[in-house]
Short mmCIF file of all heavy atoms in Angstrom, two decimals:
data_model
loop_
_atom_site.label_atom_id
_atom_site.label_comp_id
_atom_site.label_asym_id
_atom_site.label_seq_id
_atom_site.Cartn_x
_atom_site.Cartn_y
_atom_site.Cartn_z
N GLU A 106 0.83 -1.19 0.00
CA GLU A 106 0.02 0.00 -0.01
C GLU A 106 0.89 1.27 0.01
O GLU A 106 0.64 2.22 -0.78
CB GLU A 106 -0.90 0.00 1.24
CG GLU A 106 -1.83 1.19 1.31
CD GLU A 106 -2.69 1.18 2.61
OE1 GLU A 106 -2.54 0.27 3.42
OE2 GLU A 106 -3.50 2.15 2.73
N PHE A 107 1.91 1.25 0.86
CA PHE A 107 2.78 2.42 0.93
C PHE A 107 3.56 2.57 -0.38
O PHE A 107 3.73 3.70 -0.89
CB PHE A 107 3.76 2.21 2.09
CG PHE A 107 4.72 3.34 2.31
CD1 PHE A 107 4.27 4.54 2.93
CD2 PHE A 107 6.04 3.25 1.89
CE1 PHE A 107 5.14 5.60 3.12
CE2 PHE A 107 6.92 4.33 2.11
CZ PHE A 107 6.46 5.51 2.70
N ALA A 108 4.01 1.45 -0.97
CA ALA A 108 4.76 1.51 -2.22
C ALA A 108 3.87 2.00 -3.39
O ALA A 108 4.32 2.77 -4.25
CB ALA A 108 5.28 0.16 -2.53
N ARG A 109 2.64 1.55 -3.41
CA ARG A 109 1.72 1.98 -4.48
C ARG A 109 1.56 3.50 -4.42
O ARG A 109 1.67 4.17 -5.43
CB ARG A 109 0.36 1.30 -4.34
CG ARG A 109 0.29 -0.09 -4.95
CD ARG A 109 -1.14 -0.61 -4.68
NE ARG A 109 -1.38 -1.89 -5.31
CZ ARG A 109 -2.28 -2.75 -4.88
NH1 ARG A 109 -2.96 -2.46 -3.79
NH2 ARG A 109 -2.44 -3.87 -5.50
N LYS A 110 1.24 3.99 -3.28
CA LYS A 110 0.92 5.37 -3.10
C LYS A 110 2.12 6.30 -3.44
O LYS A 110 1.97 7.34 -4.08
CB LYS A 110 0.45 5.60 -1.67
CG LYS A 110 -0.08 7.03 -1.41
CD LYS A 110 -0.38 7.21 0.06
CE LYS A 110 -1.38 6.17 0.58
NZ LYS A 110 -1.67 6.35 2.04
N ASN A 111 3.27 5.89 -3.02
CA ASN A 111 4.44 6.79 -3.04
C ASN A 111 5.45 6.49 -4.14
O ASN A 111 6.34 7.36 -4.42
CB ASN A 111 5.12 6.73 -1.69
CG ASN A 111 4.26 7.27 -0.58
OD1 ASN A 111 3.96 8.48 -0.49
ND2 ASN A 111 3.77 6.37 0.25
N LEU A 112 5.36 5.30 -4.77
CA LEU A 112 6.36 4.94 -5.75
C LEU A 112 5.74 4.36 -7.05
O LEU A 112 5.91 4.89 -8.11
CB LEU A 112 7.38 3.96 -5.18
CG LEU A 112 8.54 3.54 -6.03
CD1 LEU A 112 9.45 4.73 -6.37
CD2 LEU A 112 9.35 2.43 -5.39
N PHE A 113 5.02 3.29 -6.87
CA PHE A 113 4.52 2.58 -8.06
C PHE A 113 3.47 3.35 -8.87
O PHE A 113 3.56 3.43 -10.10
CB PHE A 113 3.90 1.20 -7.66
CG PHE A 113 4.93 0.26 -7.10
CD1 PHE A 113 4.59 -0.67 -6.14
CD2 PHE A 113 6.26 0.32 -7.48
CE1 PHE A 113 5.50 -1.59 -5.63
CE2 PHE A 113 7.22 -0.58 -6.95
CZ PHE A 113 6.83 -1.54 -6.01
N ASP A 114 2.47 3.94 -8.18
CA ASP A 114 1.48 4.67 -8.92
C ASP A 114 2.02 5.87 -9.65
O ASP A 114 1.71 6.08 -10.82
CB ASP A 114 0.36 5.14 -7.98
CG ASP A 114 -0.59 3.95 -7.58
OD1 ASP A 114 -0.39 2.85 -8.12
OD2 ASP A 114 -1.45 4.16 -6.69
N PRO A 115 2.86 6.68 -9.03
CA PRO A 115 3.45 7.83 -9.78
C PRO A 115 4.27 7.36 -10.98
O PRO A 115 4.38 8.08 -11.99
CB PRO A 115 4.37 8.52 -8.77
CG PRO A 115 3.76 8.15 -7.44
CD PRO A 115 3.23 6.77 -7.60
N LEU A 116 4.93 6.18 -10.90
CA LEU A 116 5.73 5.65 -12.00
C LEU A 116 4.85 4.82 -12.97
O LEU A 116 5.39 4.33 -13.97
CB LEU A 116 6.83 4.73 -11.45
CG LEU A 116 7.92 5.40 -10.61
CD1 LEU A 116 8.95 4.35 -10.14
CD2 LEU A 116 8.63 6.51 -11.39
N GLU A 117 3.58 4.71 -12.68
CA GLU A 117 2.68 3.91 -13.52
C GLU A 117 3.12 2.46 -13.62
O GLU A 117 3.15 1.85 -14.70
CB GLU A 117 2.49 4.53 -14.88
CG GLU A 117 1.81 5.89 -14.84
CD GLU A 117 1.57 6.51 -16.20
OE1 GLU A 117 1.98 5.95 -17.23
OE2 GLU A 117 0.95 7.63 -16.25
N ILE A 118 3.51 1.95 -12.47
CA ILE A 118 3.88 0.51 -12.35
C ILE A 118 2.69 -0.17 -11.65
O ILE A 118 2.33 0.19 -10.52
CB ILE A 118 5.15 0.34 -11.52
CG1 ILE A 118 6.34 0.89 -12.28
CG2 ILE A 118 5.37 -1.15 -11.16
CD1 ILE A 118 7.64 0.90 -11.47
N GLU A 119 2.14 -1.16 -12.33
CA GLU A 119 0.94 -1.86 -11.75
C GLU A 119 1.37 -3.11 -11.02
O GLU A 119 1.97 -4.02 -11.61
CB GLU A 119 -0.01 -2.22 -12.86
CG GLU A 119 -1.26 -2.93 -12.32
CD GLU A 119 -2.11 -3.57 -13.46
OE1 GLU A 119 -1.49 -4.12 -14.39
OE2 GLU A 119 -3.32 -3.53 -13.35
N LEU A 120 1.04 -3.16 -9.73
CA LEU A 120 1.19 -4.38 -8.97
C LEU A 120 -0.18 -4.71 -8.40
O LEU A 120 -0.70 -3.95 -7.54
CB LEU A 120 2.22 -4.21 -7.82
CG LEU A 120 3.44 -5.17 -7.88
CD1 LEU A 120 4.21 -4.90 -9.14
CD2 LEU A 120 4.33 -5.02 -6.70
N LYS A 121 -0.77 -5.80 -8.84
CA LYS A 121 -2.20 -6.04 -8.56
C LYS A 121 -2.47 -6.37 -7.11
O LYS A 121 -3.57 -6.06 -6.61
CB LYS A 121 -2.69 -7.19 -9.49
CG LYS A 121 -2.86 -6.73 -10.93
CD LYS A 121 -3.52 -7.80 -11.80
CE LYS A 121 -3.76 -7.27 -13.20
NZ LYS A 121 -4.35 -8.31 -14.06
N GLY A 122 -1.58 -7.07 -6.45
CA GLY A 122 -1.93 -7.44 -5.04
C GLY A 122 -0.90 -8.35 -4.42
O GLY A 122 0.17 -8.60 -4.94
N ASP A 123 -1.30 -8.88 -3.26
CA ASP A 123 -0.45 -9.79 -2.53
C ASP A 123 -0.45 -11.17 -3.16
O ASP A 123 -1.46 -11.61 -3.67
CB ASP A 123 -0.89 -9.89 -1.07
CG ASP A 123 -0.77 -8.55 -0.32
OD1 ASP A 123 0.09 -7.75 -0.68
OD2 ASP A 123 -1.55 -8.36 0.61
N ILE A 124 0.66 -11.84 -3.04
CA ILE A 124 0.77 -13.24 -3.51
C ILE A 124 1.11 -14.09 -2.34
O ILE A 124 2.15 -13.92 -1.69
CB ILE A 124 1.88 -13.37 -4.57
CG1 ILE A 124 1.52 -12.54 -5.82
CG2 ILE A 124 2.07 -14.86 -4.99
CD1 ILE A 124 2.63 -12.49 -6.90
N SER A 125 0.30 -15.08 -2.04
CA SER A 125 0.55 -16.00 -0.91
C SER A 125 1.04 -17.33 -1.51
O SER A 125 0.42 -17.87 -2.42
CB SER A 125 -0.77 -16.27 -0.14
OG SER A 125 -1.20 -15.06 0.48
N LEU A 126 2.11 -17.81 -0.93
CA LEU A 126 2.69 -19.07 -1.35
C LEU A 126 2.57 -20.03 -0.18
O LEU A 126 3.30 -19.93 0.77
CB LEU A 126 4.15 -18.89 -1.76
CG LEU A 126 4.39 -17.84 -2.89
CD1 LEU A 126 5.89 -17.67 -3.12
CD2 LEU A 126 3.71 -18.30 -4.18
N CYS A 127 1.63 -20.99 -0.28
CA CYS A 127 1.27 -21.80 0.86
C CYS A 127 2.02 -23.12 0.95
O CYS A 127 1.81 -23.93 1.85
CB CYS A 127 -0.21 -22.07 0.83
SG CYS A 127 -1.24 -20.57 0.86
N SER A 128 2.93 -23.39 -0.01
CA SER A 128 3.67 -24.65 -0.03
C SER A 128 4.92 -24.48 -0.80
O SER A 128 5.14 -23.53 -1.51
CB SER A 128 2.81 -25.78 -0.64
OG SER A 128 2.58 -25.52 -1.99
N GLU A 129 5.82 -25.46 -0.61
CA GLU A 129 7.07 -25.44 -1.37
C GLU A 129 6.82 -25.54 -2.83
O GLU A 129 7.48 -24.94 -3.65
CB GLU A 129 7.96 -26.60 -0.88
CG GLU A 129 9.38 -26.57 -1.53
CD GLU A 129 10.31 -27.61 -0.94
OE1 GLU A 129 9.95 -28.20 0.10
OE2 GLU A 129 11.37 -27.81 -1.56
N GLU A 130 5.80 -26.36 -3.22
CA GLU A 130 5.46 -26.48 -4.61
C GLU A 130 4.95 -25.18 -5.18
O GLU A 130 5.32 -24.82 -6.33
CB GLU A 130 4.33 -27.57 -4.74
CG GLU A 130 4.77 -28.97 -4.50
CD GLU A 130 4.90 -29.25 -3.01
OE1 GLU A 130 4.41 -28.47 -2.15
OE2 GLU A 130 5.59 -30.24 -2.66
#
């Protein structure tokens, strides 16, 4: 959230959301 507001959005870099990795696979 902090990165979007202050870095990514001004640079027009889209990061859609969090990625959860629940296993080694």
Side-chain angles (χ1 to χ4, degrees):
E106 181 183 1
F107 183 76
R109 275 179 176 154
K110 186 185 304 180
N111 297 288
L112 184 64
F113 296 150
D114 286 352
L116 295 179
E117 297 183 354
I118 293 174
E119 181 192 39
L120 239 63
K121 287 187 175 178
D123 296 333
I124 297 173
S125 296
L126 303 174
C127 302
S128 66
E129 186 174 347
E130 291 75 17

